């Protein structure tokens, strides 16, 4: 029986990592928000790796925090270990990574949603969207409840027609044996959306009591206090270690001898898997010359003995998984608590989305997370906060908000999806960002806090502290620029002790800091200040001065890009009326419907000659409209 269940500004379907950020972003802007999830016990659940961050991904978490999101705060409260990666490399590739207590993480996030004003959290299976006059204005659940809203955000993860596969066994299921969403997937097809079939996987979990850790290498967290959120002031110090071991030639023999039983190679798995997170059977086949592969043993929490066997993702039969585990040093007598599995699921082709993550086909309908073809909690959360911001702003009759490729990794992620699409589960990598020297772990707040404040997700108190930090950075840079370090005996001796060459004349402190052997701390020993400089301010001063030339070149490239971004393409342009554009380019332009010439230039299949013709056409002002 169908019944009217409520009226909201925004409805978010799903409460995974994309859903929780979307819901909080919407509610914190003042939009009355409903979150519907299949199982309330699975809010922000981590069905795969119990971790947050890593290269590129960790920067996304910082960006979410700078915009006013929750993931960073949540992992800061609930991690069991945290490390800063790539400390020996330049600032563009440094990133935080934390091991999560997966159970505490989800409980803390559920509590946050339950206590958020303007937000209602409910359990329910959404089966249909309410479409009126071509616009999405609500949803209907399995029980017949009809909820109306101004906008809807779908964040269904891997639940759409989910199918779990272990060896020759397969069954309809969401991750972790949860109920899948079948009818919503069918409904999206009825509405005319193009869907693709993707696949991801997870490794076995084993009992910590049965591991011989003496045969493994300890991987401790950093001793220095670390945090993802710019607002965190209390740090977790009692960290738990992870452990490193390796596969053996015997492991590889077992895999080679059972490939005929692998659903990946038998043809049982139809979906496309993630290239950058391959299964162990895929690694053994593709890298046959390698005698071993890294395996990390990662605790799943403080109050459980389950250990995640990172690097051993597999869908081989359960008996093969047990044999495989026993050939790994330290795991000879291990007890497998859960078998690894593959899961296939539906995703929508993301070129059907605008950069706001609103669907082109149905206004008012937004999508975020793995439904858009991505992999990873961080990519999902980054899309979630942007979809939530824009769904909330649309519901409140405010202007949309889009991040560019030079603004954030989140901007790179979304632009890649909506402009290029993806033929496999998309993973964000540092190499995908052409302006990665500007999009650093350390400066996410300087890039995005202003935006978070403007959309209403950053408090006045936090914003004032941010402005004070910016002022302090500029003041200290100005001070160092004005200080001349003289070639006194004491200064020469100090510089020699650091491995530097002696000064020939007086030198500005800002020029001295650019020397490879010098840093902010060593230079301020020669040019001390009476004012106490906060560590995060000192970090920014050093990076901005030391890499000034490189940063300036990147900013010049960004300015050139902005000129192309400012050359807008009318939505109703008729590409068939433009003579000279290649057939493939014409098809792609009609499919993606780019908003600017810059976006058009990034579409696969559109070459520079096509862009030149398009520019001439736009500059002539003869914009033909699509025939009605």
């Amino acid at each position: 029986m169908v019944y009217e269940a409520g009226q909201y500004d925004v409805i978010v379907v799903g409460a995974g990592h994309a859903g929780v950020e979307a819901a909080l972003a919407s509610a914190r802007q003042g939009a009355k928000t409903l979150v519907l999830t299949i199982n309330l016990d699975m809010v922000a659940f981590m069905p795969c790796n119990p971790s947050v961050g890593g290269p590129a991904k960790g920067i996304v978490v910082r960006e979410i925090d700078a915009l006013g999101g929750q993931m960073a705060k949540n992992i800061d409260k609930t991690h069991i270990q945290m490390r800063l990666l790539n400390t020996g490399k330049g600032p563009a590739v440094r990133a935080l990574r934390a091991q999560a207590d997966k159970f505490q993480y989800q409980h803390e996030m559920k509590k946050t949603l339950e206590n958020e004003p303007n937000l209602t959290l409910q359990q329910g299976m959404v089966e249909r969207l309410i479409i009126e006059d071509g616009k999405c204005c609500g949803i209907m659940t399995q029980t017949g409840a009809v909820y109306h809203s101004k906008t809807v955000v779908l964040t269904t993860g891997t639940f759409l027609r989910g199918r779990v596969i272990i060896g020759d066994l397969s069954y309809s299921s969401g991750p972790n044996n949860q109920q899948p969403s079948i009818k919503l997937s069918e409904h999206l097809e009825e509405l005319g959306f193009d869907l693709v079939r993707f696949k991801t996987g997870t490794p076995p979990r084993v009992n910590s009591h049965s591991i011989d850790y003496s045969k493994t290498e300890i991987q401790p967290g950093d001793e220095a206090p670390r945090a993802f959120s710019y607002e965190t002031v209390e740090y977790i110090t009692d960290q738990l270690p992870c452990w490193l071991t390796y596969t053996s030639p015997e492991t590889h023999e077992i895999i080679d001898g059972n490939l005929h039983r692998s659903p990946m190679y038998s043809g049982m798995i139809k979906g496309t898997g993630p290239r950058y997170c391959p299964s162990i059977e895929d690694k053994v086949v593709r890298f046959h010359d390698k005698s071993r592969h890294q395996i990390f043993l990662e605790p799943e929490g403080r109050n459980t003995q389950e250990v995640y066997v990172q690097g051993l993702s597999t869908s081989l039969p359960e008996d093969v998984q047990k044999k495989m585990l026993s050939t790994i040093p330290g795991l000879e007598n291990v007890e497998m608590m859960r078998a690894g599995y593959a899961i296939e699921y539906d995703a929508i082709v993301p070129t059907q989305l605008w950069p706001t993550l609103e669907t082109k086909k149905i206004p008012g309908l937004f999508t975020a997370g793995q439904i858009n073809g991505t992999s990873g909690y961080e990519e999902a959360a980054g899309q979630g906060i942007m979809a939530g911001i824009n769904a909330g702003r649309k519901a409140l009759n405010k202007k949309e908000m889009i991040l560019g490729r030079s603004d954030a990794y989140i901007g790179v992620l979304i632009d890649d999806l909506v402009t290029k699409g993806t033929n496999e589960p998309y993973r964000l990598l540092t190499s995908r960002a052409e302006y990665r020297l500007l999009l650093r772990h350390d400066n996410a707040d300087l890039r995005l806090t202003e935006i978070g404040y403007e959309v209403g997700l950053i408090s006045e108190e936090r914003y004032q502290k941010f402005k004070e930090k910016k002022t302090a950075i500029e003041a200290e840079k100005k001070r160092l620029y004005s200080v001349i370090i003289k070639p006194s005996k004491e200064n020469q001796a100090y510089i020699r002790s650091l491995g530097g060459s002696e000064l020939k004349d007086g030198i500005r402190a800002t020029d001295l800091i650019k020397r490879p052997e010098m840093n902010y701390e060593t230079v301020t020993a020669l040019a001390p200040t009476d004012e106490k400089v906060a560590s995060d301010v000192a970090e920014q001063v050093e990076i901005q001065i030391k890499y000034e030339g490189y940063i300036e070149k990147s900013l010049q490239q960004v300015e050139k890009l902005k000129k192309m971004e400012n050359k807008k393409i009318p939505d109703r342009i008729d590409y068939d009326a433009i003579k000279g554009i290649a057939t493939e380019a014409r098809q792609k332009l009609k499919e993606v419907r780019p908003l600017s010439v810059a976006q058009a230039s990034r579409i696969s299949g559109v070459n520079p000659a096509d862009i030149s013709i398009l520019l001439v056409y736009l500059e002539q002002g003869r914009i033909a409209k699509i025939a009605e």
Side-chain angles (χ1 to χ4, degrees), residues 519-570:
N519 57 32
Y520 177 81
E521 185 180 352
T522 55
V523 169
T524 51
L526 299 173
T529 175
D530 296 332
E531 302 291 328
K532 180 173 173 56
V533 177
S535 59
D536 58 342
V537 170
E539 178 185 44
Q540 280 308 303
V541 169
E542 179 178 328
I543 290 171
Q544 289 181 26
I545 293 173
K546 201 176 249 311
Y547 297 93
E548 183 180 30
Y550 299 103
I551 291 170
E552 186 58 39
K553 284 181 182 177
S554 293
L555 289 171
Q556 287 171 5
Q557 291 174 341
V558 169
E559 282 306 307
K560 288 181 183 177
L561 174 75
K562 281 183 178 175
K563 289 178 183 177
M564 295 281 276
E565 293 286 5
N566 290 333
K567 291 184 186 295
K568 301 298 182 186
I569 301 174

Side-chain angles (χ1 to χ4, degrees), residues 418-439:
V418 304
T419 304
K420 301 173 184 176
T422 183
N423 54 14
E424 63 185 60
Y426 177 103
R427 180 179 182 178
L428 199 51
L429 307 167
T430 310
S431 59
R432 295 193 193 271
E434 59 270 49
Y435 307 114
R436 53 188 169 274
L437 186 55
L438 301 178
L439 309 181

Side-chain angles (χ1 to χ4, degrees), residues 397-423:
N397 296 313
K398 294 181 179 179
K399 188 183 176 186
E400 65 192 19
M401 197 270 279
I402 296 172
L403 293 178
R405 297 182 71 88
S406 60
D407 296 323
Y409 267 94
I410 296 171
V412 173
L413 161 67
I414 293 174
D415 183 68
D416 277 353
L417 290 173
V418 304
T419 304
K420 301 173 184 176
T422 183
N423 54 14

Side-chain angles (χ1 to χ4, degrees), residues 17-77:
H17 304 281
V20 296
E21 294 293 350
L24 290 168
S26 167
R28 287 170 179 172
Q29 291 178 96
K32 186 182 177 187
T33 304
L34 170 68
V35 189
L36 283 163
T37 180
I38 293 173
N39 186 346
L40 281 177
D41 298 327
M42 301 292 284
V43 171
F45 184 68
M46 294 179 165
C48 201
N49 196 331
S51 72
V52 167
K57 293 166 174 276
I59 300 174
V60 169
V61 181
R62 296 275 275 181
E63 291 174 349
I64 291 166
D65 182 69
L67 288 168
Q70 197 65 27
M71 179 175 259
K73 292 182 177 66
N74 211 58
I75 191 64
D76 286 352
K77 291 179 185 176

Side-chain angles (χ1 to χ4, degrees), residues 82-102:
M82 195 174 288
R83 299 172 70 187
L84 183 63
L85 308 180
N86 298 325
T87 53
K89 299 180 181 179
V93 292
R94 291 175 199 156
L96 274 175
R97 184 182 186 276
Q99 285 300 130
D101 184 318
K102 65 186 288 184

Side-chain angles (χ1 to χ4, degrees), residues 295-518:
I295 301 293
F296 289 95
L297 305 175
E298 301 172 342
E300 295 226 313
R302 295 181 185 276
N303 299 308
T304 177
Q305 291 305 312
E306 280 193 78
V307 173
Y308 183 90
V309 187
Q310 164 77 333
L312 207 73
S313 178
T314 183
S315 56
L316 283 162
E318 194 171 302
D319 61 303
V320 179
Q321 293 188 36
K322 288 185 176 181
K323 288 177 187 173
M324 202 163 55
L325 285 166
S326 68
T327 64
I328 295 171
L331 306 184
E332 293 87 351
N333 300 305
V334 81
E335 295 172 14
M336 186 170 76
M337 297 177 74
R338 303 186 202 221
Y341 63 86
I343 183 168
E344 283 188 340
Y345 57 94
D346 287 345
I348 77 162
V349 175
T351 51
Q352 298 170 104
L353 306 173
W354 296 115
T356 58
L357 296 180
E358 185 176 21
T359 63
K360 296 171 182 174
K361 192 175 292 292
I362 301 177
L365 176 63
F366 295 75
T367 59
Q370 284 184 271
I371 188 176
N372 289 344
T374 56
S375 66
Y377 311 141
E378 303 85 357
E379 288 91 337
Q383 293 171 74
I385 191 169
M386 295 306 295
I389 286 171
N390 283 313
R393 290 180 77 75
K394 181 159 188 153
L396 298 171
N397 296 313
K398 294 181 179 179
K399 188 183 176 186
E400 65 192 19
M401 197 270 279
I402 296 172
L403 293 178
R405 297 182 71 88
S406 60
D407 296 323
Y409 267 94
I410 296 171
V412 173
L413 161 67
I414 293 174
D415 183 68
D416 277 353
L417 290 173
V418 304
T419 304
K420 301 173 184 176
T422 183
N423 54 14
E424 63 185 60
Y426 177 103
R427 180 179 182 178
L428 199 51
L429 307 167
T430 310
S431 59
R432 295 193 193 271
E434 59 270 49
Y435 307 114
R436 53 188 169 274
L437 186 55
L438 301 178
L439 309 181
R440 304 185 309 273
H441 153 88
D442 61 83
N443 72 348
D445 61 335
L446 298 177
R447 292 185 277 119
L448 299 173
T449 304
E450 196 86 46
I451 296 171
Y453 178 70
E454 286 173 10
V455 298
L457 302 186
I458 296 292
S459 69
E460 188 65 40
E461 180 186 3
R462 178 174 177 180
Y463 184 59
Q464 291 305 319
K465 287 181 180 177
F466 162 72
K467 289 207 297 185
E468 289 168 10
K469 176 181 174 180
K470 279 183 71 175
T471 301
I473 292 167
E474 292 308 313
E476 182 63 357
K477 283 168 63 180
K478 186 177 180 181
R479 184 189 76 84
L480 290 174
Y481 183 79
S482 68
V483 172
I484 303 296
I485 308 293
K486 295 180 180 179
S488 65
K489 286 184 180 180
E490 295 82 3
N491 288 348
Q492 299 285 42
Y494 180 71
I495 291 168
R496 280 199 308 272
S497 73
L498 297 172
S501 57
E502 289 188 357
L503 301 179
K504 293 179 181 177
D505 207 340
I507 185 174
R508 290 187 192 280
T510 48
D511 291 331
L512 189 59
I513 213 169
K514 291 177 183 177
R515 288 188 176 188
E517 73 276 6
M518 304 299 284

